[in-house]
Amino acid sequence: MYRDRELLTVTDYECAAIQALSDADYGHYSGGADDEVTLGENTRAFNDYMIRSHCLRDVASLSTSTSFLTHSLSHPIGVAPTAFHGLAHEQGELATVRGARAASSLMISSSWATTSLEDMKKEAGENPMWMQLFVYTDRELTQSIVRRAEAAGYSALVLTVDYPARGNRLADKRNGFELPEHLKNANFVASGSEDAVKPVITPITWKDVRELVESTTLPVIVKGVLRADDALEALRCGVKGIIVSNHGGRQLDSAPASIHALREVVEAVHEGKHRLFRLSVEVPVWMDGGIRNGRDIFKALAMGATGVFVGRPVIWGLAAHGECGVAHVLNILKEELEQTMKLAGCPTIESIRAANDIVVHKTFYERR
């Protein structure tokens, strides 16, 4: 495993990535929308929650194993979809895929990538991958991505549902960010051509979600849910999973931090499963946004998340040290999670979820 005494945390990797990236590219990856209130809250909000550790628990044997849908995984840390990895490293998404594979992390591939979805899945081999999806004004183009993902061996579709319009990303405007000419939006390069078409993302409704569920052999997960009523509507549409997300603070500024929204969505899904829809299987809830250490992951799991996805930390690893950096960042997070589990007296992922009030809002102590 790659080691560097100066790269011990995700923050260390971000500092290294700043040195490796141009100002425009770093701004593209790191920036949020408008005043970046939500961007900052995503990370800061984890500090609103305290870990009430158990003492004298047997943590000699520790396991982070879990499952995401049909996949048995060695840990609950996945790679979130982020665009245009070719900006961060010459090998782009292929290096990210190899790093995720080395760390045994499930990866969600972005539709907006500098490597085709087929080449990414081929590089992943048996390591599981899901395919992120937008809906475009050209519905045939949308369906072509779905069919290609099915044929390539992706095991789920992740539909982004928080993009009725592009967020106001001031860093990109100030830096004049554009994709360099040597990089292409590879999933939209026409056969026999070197030029990529420019797909237009269209606003969608729950009708589009239902149509996607009915049109594919793959399970559909919706990404971008922050409210209980939207979570219940997702269940009505037949989705197989929900990712609580505010798009990394890049869409609506002043949206809640993902960790603040998580419990509301988890409770709604539980209510929907057992009382409203009487579903025979669990509908998992994941989250992304602001995760920078293993304690953050522990808190998300304790608040009901099946697992988490990380985006920017993976980009920092990729920019600093390619596939080795990606794997190292993911392993740092896993090791920090394991350390937190030991110190909190929780030897398994299941024991975190079963523990009573293991994670509480800091006002818990103000009331006592």
Side-chain angles (χ1 to χ4, degrees), residues 185-204:
N185 197 345
N187 286 319
F188 303 98
V189 175
S191 178
S193 171
E194 293 184 359
D195 296 323
V197 299
K198 295 182 178 180
V200 178
I201 300 171
T202 189
I204 60 174

Side-chain angles (χ1 to χ4, degrees), residues 147-359:
R147 299 293 168 249
R148 288 168 59 191
E150 291 171 342
Y154 287 80
S155 52
L157 298 175
V158 179
L159 178 65
T160 296
V161 295
D162 59 358
Y163 204 106
R166 181 180 172 85
N168 188 26
R169 301 173 191 176
L170 297 177
D172 282 352
K173 292 180 178 180
R174 291 185 176 120
N175 292 323
F177 173 80
E178 291 183 355
L179 195 65
E181 290 187 4
H182 72 281
L183 295 176
K184 304 295 181 185
N185 197 345
N187 286 319
F188 303 98
V189 175
S191 178
S193 171
E194 293 184 359
D195 296 323
V197 299
K198 295 182 178 180
V200 178
I201 300 171
T202 189
I204 60 174
T205 67
W206 291 111
K207 177 176 178 288
D208 297 289
V209 177
R210 287 191 292 273
E211 288 178 353
L212 177 62
V213 169
E214 293 168 358
S215 70
T216 179
T217 59
L218 298 178
V220 174
I221 298 160
V222 288
K223 178 181 181 293
V225 173
L226 295 169
R227 297 169 53 105
D229 51 358
D230 285 341
L232 292 176
E233 193 61 42
L235 295 186
R236 289 188 184 96
C237 291
V239 306
K240 302 303 182 185
I242 293 171
I243 301 177
V244 175
S245 173
N246 54 39
H247 215 102
R250 294 164 69 83
Q251 285 295 97
L252 175 64
D253 203 18
S254 295
S258 296
I259 191 65
H260 282 333
L262 175 61
R263 184 161 279 163
E264 175 184 347
V265 174
V266 168
E267 290 175 354
V269 169
H270 181 80
E271 176 81 4
K273 176 187 184 299
H274 292 285
R275 295 191 181 183
L276 300 179
F277 307 115
R278 299 190 182 280
L279 303 176
S280 59
V281 296
E282 294 291 338
V283 176
V285 177
W286 299 271
M287 70 149 290
D288 67 20
I291 293 163
R292 296 296 181 267
N293 57 63
R295 299 180 304 282
D296 295 343
I297 299 168
F298 183 97
K299 292 173 185 179
L301 296 171
M303 294 169 69
T306 297
V308 302
F309 291 95
V310 292
R312 289 184 179 94
V314 168
I315 292 295
W316 308 150
L318 178 66
H321 286 296
E323 66 184 87
C324 293
V326 171
H328 191 207
V329 163
L330 293 167
N331 280 308
I332 285 172
L333 291 171
K334 179 176 180 287
E335 290 169 3
E336 289 177 345
L337 172 61
E338 291 171 339
Q339 179 76 349
T340 305
M341 290 168 66
K342 289 178 181 178
L343 294 173
C346 296
T348 64
I349 301 298
E350 291 73 19
S351 69
I352 299 173
R353 300 193 183 109
N356 183 40
D357 290 338
I358 191 74
V359 167

Side-chain angles (χ1 to χ4, degrees), residues 52-67:
R52 299 174 67 232
S53 59
H54 288 290
C55 62
L56 302 177
R57 298 296 176 94
D58 184 2
V59 291
S61 178
L62 200 75
S63 173
T64 58
S65 62
T66 190
S67 61

Side-chain angles (χ1 to χ4, degrees), residues 74-136:
S74 60
H75 59 78
I77 309 163
V79 176
T82 51
F84 304 142
H85 292 198
L87 295 169
H89 191 271
E90 62 182 7
Q91 295 178 17
E93 288 83 4
L94 294 181
T96 309
V97 168
R98 289 193 290 268
R101 185 182 64 199
S104 300
S105 286
L106 184 147
M107 178 174 168
I108 306 176
S109 168
S110 172
S111 290
W112 291 55
T114 51
T115 305
S116 73
L117 66 90
E118 290 86 358
D119 287 346
M120 279 189 270
K121 187 63 185 77
K122 182 178 180 180
E123 191 70 32
E126 296 301 313
N127 200 54
M129 292 189 71
W130 297 344
M131 185 72 209
Q132 179 270 337
L133 183 70
F134 292 110
V135 175
Y136 304 103

